[in-house]
Amino acid sequence: MPSTADVMSELVKLPVQRTGERMAELATILRLSGGLHTINGRIALEAELHTPQTVQRVRKDLAELYGVRAEARQLPPTSVRPGAPQFLVRVIDGETLARQLGLLDQRRRPIRGLPNRVTTGDAKELAAALRGAFLARGKITPPGRTVSLEVVCPSSETAMALVGAASRIGVDAKSRDIRGVSKLLVRDGEAIGSLLGIMGAEECRAAWDNLRKARETRATANRLVNFDDANLRRSAEASVAACARVERALEILGSDVPDHLGYAGQLRLTHREASLDELGARADPPLTKDAIAGRIRRLLAMADKAAEDQGIPGTEASVPEELV
C-alpha cells in the first residue's frame, strides 16, 4: 500500500536530465513550500521541506541551474507540528533568483499562481511541475471508502494553475477551498494511478493499481452477494405471502373450490419453496409456469369474491403484517 512517504521517496530519486523539467520542478517546489521575506533589507527566498532528500535535490538544482548556494538547517522540534516540514532552505540574496524563477513579477511583487513559464511548458515540464508540487505539499490517501491525492497550495490561483497543468496532461483534478485552505484534489482511483505514473512514481503506481483493483473486485463480489441475499429474501417473503393467501382461499371456498384450482393450491402449499416453474413440473400432468400461475390467480380471485359476498375478510387478511 503506497503511502505519502513512499511516493515522495520514489519521486525524489527520479533522475531528470532536461533543464526545462528541472526548472519547472524547482520553481513549483519553491512556490508551494516557500515564500519571499525581507531580511536586513534584502529579499530572501525560503522553503520549508519534509525530507533531507528533497533538501538535497533542491540545493543541487539551485547550484547547477542558477549557480546559487543555499543554506539548509533543521527546524527546531518545538516549531514542528506532526506532519509539518522539518527542514528550511534559504537563499539570502534571493531577488535575482526569484525573478529568474518567475516568482516575482516585473514590479517586484510576488506572483499569485505559478510562473508563466511553468504553466505554458510541454507535457514533461507540466509533469515535473506536478512532481514538484507533490514533493512540496502532497499527500495520498490509500484506497478505502474514500481515496484522494491532494496538494496544499498557498493560494486558490496556485491550485487552479495546477488543475490546468493536470488537465493538459489528461488527469481530472479539482480545486477546492477546504476550511480556508486551497487544495488540488484528485479523488478518482484510476486518475490517481495515472498521475503517479506521470509524475514518475511507477513502482507506487503499480502498487496502487493492484490495491485498487483488488478492492474493486472485493466490492463487486460483496455487491453481488448482497444482491443475491436480497433476491432470496424477497423470494422467501413472496412465498410466505402466497401460501398464506392460498390457505385462506381454500378455507373460504371449502367444498366449492373447483378441482383444478384446488389442485394448484394444494401443490403450492405442499412445495412452499418451489418456484412456479418447479410447481408446474411437479404437477400431474406437468403444467407450464403460466398455467400454474393462472390457476392460483383464479383461485385467489374466486375466494376474494366469495369473501366479499359473505362479508368476511378476504385472502389478503391472512398475509402477515410485516409482509404487507
Side-chain angles (χ1 to χ4, degrees):
M1 181 183 298
S3 64
T4 300
D6 294 331
V7 177
M8 286 190 174
S9 178
E10 185 174 358
L11 291 180
V12 82
K13 296 175 184 175
L14 183 71
V16 181
Q17 301 300 328
R18 286 185 60 209
T19 300
E21 294 177 49
R22 295 176 68 185
M23 293 172 65
E25 179 187 306
L26 177 63
T28 308
I29 289 177
L30 295 176
R31 176 69 185 99
L32 268 68
S33 65
L36 299 171
H37 307 281
T38 302
I39 301 177
N40 297 326
R42 295 180 296 179
I43 294 179
L45 178 61
E46 295 183 342
E48 295 182 352
L49 304 170
H50 288 83
T51 68
Q53 293 79 12
T54 309
V55 171
Q56 183 180 2
R57 189 178 180 98
V58 167
R59 294 184 72 193
K60 179 182 178 182
D61 285 345
L62 285 172
E64 294 181 358
L65 296 176
Y66 297 99
V68 172
R69 184 178 181 276
E71 300 175 359
R73 64 182 178 89
Q74 188 166 1
L75 296 171
T78 54
S79 67
V80 176
R81 305 181 309 278
Q86 301 180 37
F87 303 92
L88 176 69
V89 174
R90 175 185 290 162
V91 178
I92 296 297
D93 290 310
E95 181 173 353
T96 300
L97 175 62
R99 285 179 177 275
Q100 291 175 317
L101 289 168
L103 301 178
L104 284 177
D105 63 18
Q106 294 180 350
R107 297 183 180 181
R108 300 181 68 223
R109 297 176 303 186
I111 62 171
R112 293 286 298 167
L114 287 176
N116 184 62
R117 182 170 55 190
V118 172
T119 57
T120 58
D122 60 25
K124 290 185 177 181
E125 291 171 355
L126 294 173
L130 289 164
R131 179 170 59 249
F134 193 92
L135 287 171
R137 291 294 182 269
K139 178 182 178 182
I140 189 169
T141 303
R145 288 196 172 186
T146 59
V147 298
S148 71
L149 184 150
E150 65 180 50
V151 175
V152 176
C153 301
S155 67
S156 58
E157 291 89 347
T158 310
M160 286 301 299
L162 288 174
V163 168
S167 177
R168 285 182 58 194
I169 54 179
V171 176
D172 184 23
K174 305 293 183 185
S175 172
R176 293 287 184 271
D177 284 342
I178 302 174
R179 292 189 287 276
V181 178
S182 297
K183 293 183 179 183
L184 163 83
L185 288 176
V186 182
R187 284 183 169 161
D188 176 75
E190 187 174 352
I192 291 173
S194 177
L195 182 55
L196 289 175
I198 289 170
M199 291 190 300
E202 290 291 351
E203 292 182 6
C204 287
R205 177 190 183 167
W208 176 274
D209 285 344
N210 289 337
L211 179 60
R212 178 179 61 82
K213 290 174 183 177
R215 287 183 179 272
E216 288 178 355
T217 300
R218 286 197 295 271
T220 300
N222 289 338
R223 284 195 297 272
L224 290 175
V225 169
N226 292 335
F227 178 76
D228 290 342
D229 287 346
N231 280 344
L232 290 172
R233 183 173 62 255
R234 284 193 292 269
S235 296
E237 291 174 350
S239 175
V240 170
C243 289
R245 292 192 66 192
V246 167
E247 284 182 331
R248 176 63 180 163
L250 294 176
E251 179 184 335
I252 293 172
L253 294 174
S255 59
D256 294 334
V257 61
D259 291 342
H260 66 296
L261 301 186
Y263 176 72
Q266 289 296 341
L267 201 62
R268 171 77 282 175
L269 296 179
T270 303
H271 305 287
R272 292 174 179 262
E273 304 299 327
S275 66
L276 291 173
D277 279 329
E278 292 170 340
L279 284 183
R282 292 175 182 274
D284 185 19
L287 298 171
T288 64
K289 170 184 175 180
D290 290 339
I292 196 74
R295 291 188 182 188
I296 292 175
R297 188 164 54 248
R298 289 196 297 275
L299 171 66
L300 298 177
M302 180 179 290
D304 284 334
K305 186 176 185 306
E308 184 180 355
D309 292 343
Q310 299 173 37
I312 59 176
T315 60
E316 293 283 356
S318 62
V319 178
E321 290 185 5
E322 63 270 17
L323 300 182
V324 175

